[in-house]
Amino acid sequence: MARRPLPRILSSGSAQIARSREIARTAADSATDVLHPLITVSRGLRKLAASARARWAATPKERRGPTLFLVAACVLVIALMPYGPLLALVTLMGAAAWKGRVRPVVRTGPDDAEIARLKGLYEALVPYFSVPEDPAPLFAHGGDWSGVFAEYAFDGDGRLTRLRIAYPPYFADGEPDARARVEHLLHAKSGRGREYRFDWDEEGNRLVMSVLPALSTTIAAQRFVTVPGETVLGFTDADAVQRTVPVIAADGTEDAPAVVWRTGPRSTEPHLLVVGQPGSGTTSLLRSIALQALSHGDVLVIEGGGTGEYACLTGRDGVLAVECGLSGALASLEWAAHETERRLIAANRARQAGHPAPEDTRRPLWILVDRPSILGHLAAADGRTDPQELLQVPLRHGRAAQVTVVVAEQFDSAETLSETVRTHTRARIVLGPAAPEQIAAVLGAEPHTTPTPQVPAGRGYARLGNGPVLRLQVPATPDPYDDATSEAHRKAVLDLLPERRPATAAAVGTVIGSAPEPAPAPRSEPDPGPAPLHAPVPAEG
């Protein structure tokens, strides 16, 4: 038996219903657009009425009578004014429209992706912050993450930029290994390639992780506002030091937080050791120190690499010598040792006689040694004295004699540094990418931040004595004779260089390798130029 077709009204009813719904929705949207101002004003009038009712309810009973009288007086004045009622109506409609406007919704909590990231980080921290014996653990699998993450912030890419964690009191936050495990986990889970700082509050059982902004690399070599005996090693975070120095950067003049190294008789860190990777900026740092030291003292440069990185200093006023060969380096360092002894003897005689120290003993002498391991290897092959042995006297007695030693070496040759160099260089700097263990081996303490695998030249960490480990960015001081140097940096370095000496005076440094002569009588006047180079004085006894 054939099936009879359905009536037409039943077969086409669903399409007509859908079409009717679409027409009704379109009409409602159009009406909403047309009546939007009226809806806004109505919403504002309701809010104004509710606000007036709440204020009337909060008014004390004894003040309601005067308030009504004041309102009635205002209404009467408006009614008697020309165009008063019209102006009052326009003002009321404007206030209602402003009050009834739709404000954008401000998100106050994390979205789904951020919640998932926080949950994953909470689950990853459970093995580190929980023990089976805890009856009410803060961290438990499947627990509530909002109770331990009191503060958090994300960047535009959905990665954490700040996180405050509450951990249980029994966690061993005083042990470096326990801290390192947690910091490594947070670093891996929050995103690599950024530098994080971890602040442990042991009293409050709180850990704050924050992402540090990159240090500025736009500060080049220039004359810094310092006093004699102060050297700007570089720049760090604003909250790490209490002193700022006005500098000229790419964006104009600004006050930058500087890492200032103080030398002289009252310094507790009279000598500096710089360790870094090839191309990390150790030579640039020594060049920056030399340019600052030439303002108030004399500089002796020993370059073990022999690449001519300090050729711009050759023949300049205040530069005693720039030695690249083994013979010249040994002669220069031998002279420096005798000069240190001479200064000590002259200052001691002056004090015993009740006179101030001679001027030539108070002028700072800087000994900059770059890559001494290369010279030591050449000396060992030739059966000669290791240059580091000649640094013992300047390192041990240099502070009293106004002699400062700066040694720069690379990580692959750091083990060749002598015990004297390691002991007396209390100011330390690490430049370039390095593991936390390498940084701790040089500075004596691990940084509170996570080193990144790729850093610009001149970027690293500094520690002066027993102070905190600071992030450091060395001012750009490239070789002005290098073709790869930009014109702005080349001009900045050349402007800081002293004038060149005449050819006869510049050749004085070549006689530094001659045999020592008898000591002349102490002079009260300072000796201009490098005259002391060929008049070394042996120590008495």
Side-chain angles (χ1 to χ4, degrees), residues 220-235 245 258-261 263 284-299 313 363-364 366 368 474-475 477 493 496-498:
Q222 54 191 279
R223 297 196 182 279
F224 301 111
V225 181
T226 57
V227 299
E230 292 183 345
T231 304
V232 175
L233 300 177
F235 301 91
V245 175
V259 179
V260 179
W261 175 38
T263 57
S284 181
L285 174 58
L286 263 64
R287 197 180 294 113
S288 174
I289 293 175
L291 293 177
Q292 299 181 60
L294 287 173
S295 301
H296 308 285
D298 299 326
V299 175
L313 300 174
R363 181 172 176 80
W366 292 73
L368 309 182
V474 176
T477 315
V493 175
L496 295 177
L497 289 172

Side-chain angles (χ1 to χ4, degrees), residues 17-242:
I17 293 174
R19 192 179 302 109
S20 301
R21 289 178 179 176
E22 184 66 24
I23 295 174
R25 188 180 297 107
T26 303
D29 294 339
S30 302
T32 302
D33 294 338
V34 174
L35 300 177
H36 179 71
L38 181 60
I39 296 173
T40 302
V41 172
S42 301
R43 188 188 304 115
L45 289 176
R46 289 198 304 270
K47 291 183 178 180
L48 289 176
S51 178
R53 190 181 305 108
R55 182 166 298 183
W56 176 259
T59 303
K61 293 183 179 181
E62 62 273 9
R63 297 183 56 183
R64 292 184 178 181
T67 302
L68 286 175
F69 178 77
L70 180 61
V71 171
C74 292
V75 172
L76 180 61
V77 171
I78 293 174
L80 296 178
M81 288 177 57
Y83 303 103
L86 180 60
L87 293 177
L89 180 62
V90 172
T91 303
L92 179 62
M93 293 297 104
W98 177 259
K99 193 73 173 179
R101 72 189 189 281
V102 178
R103 297 180 177 87
V105 179
V106 179
R107 185 170 61 90
T108 58
D111 55 19
D112 295 339
E114 294 171 353
I115 290 176
R117 182 180 289 270
L118 291 174
K119 285 183 177 179
L121 187 59
Y122 174 84
E123 294 291 336
L125 289 173
V126 169
Y128 298 90
F129 289 144
S130 64
V131 293
E133 297 81 8
D134 191 352
L138 289 175
F139 289 82
H141 292 292
D144 184 15
W145 58 267
S146 61
V148 295
F149 296 157
E151 181 183 351
Y152 46 83
F154 295 86
D155 58 7
D157 298 331
R159 298 194 300 174
L160 279 167
T161 58
R162 183 177 177 85
L163 181 64
R164 184 183 181 90
I165 304 174
Y167 57 87
Y170 51 77
F171 176 72
D173 51 7
E175 298 180 2
D177 294 339
R179 287 188 177 191
R181 289 192 294 267
V182 174
E183 293 175 1
H184 179 74
L185 174 66
L186 293 175
H187 181 203
K189 293 295 184 181
S190 301
R192 300 184 182 273
R194 300 183 297 174
E195 194 165 3
Y196 296 87
R197 180 172 63 187
F198 299 94
D199 297 323
W200 292 84
D201 181 10
E202 299 180 7
E203 296 181 355
N205 299 319
R206 296 292 186 273
L207 169 60
V208 178
M209 181 194 71
S210 56
V211 177
L212 295 175
L215 296 177
S216 176
T217 58
T218 61
I219 302 176
Q222 54 191 279
R223 297 196 182 279
F224 301 111
V225 181
T226 57
V227 299
E230 292 183 345
T231 304
V232 175
L233 300 177
F235 301 91
T236 183
D237 299 300
D239 57 348
V241 293
Q242 299 180 355

Side-chain angles (χ1 to χ4, degrees), residues 465-490:
N466 297 325
V469 179
L470 305 174
R471 294 203 304 165
L472 181 72
Q473 179 63 50
V474 176
T477 315
D479 183 7
Y481 298 157
D482 190 357
D483 296 337
T485 303
S486 64
E487 187 61 29
H489 287 171
R490 178 181 293 107

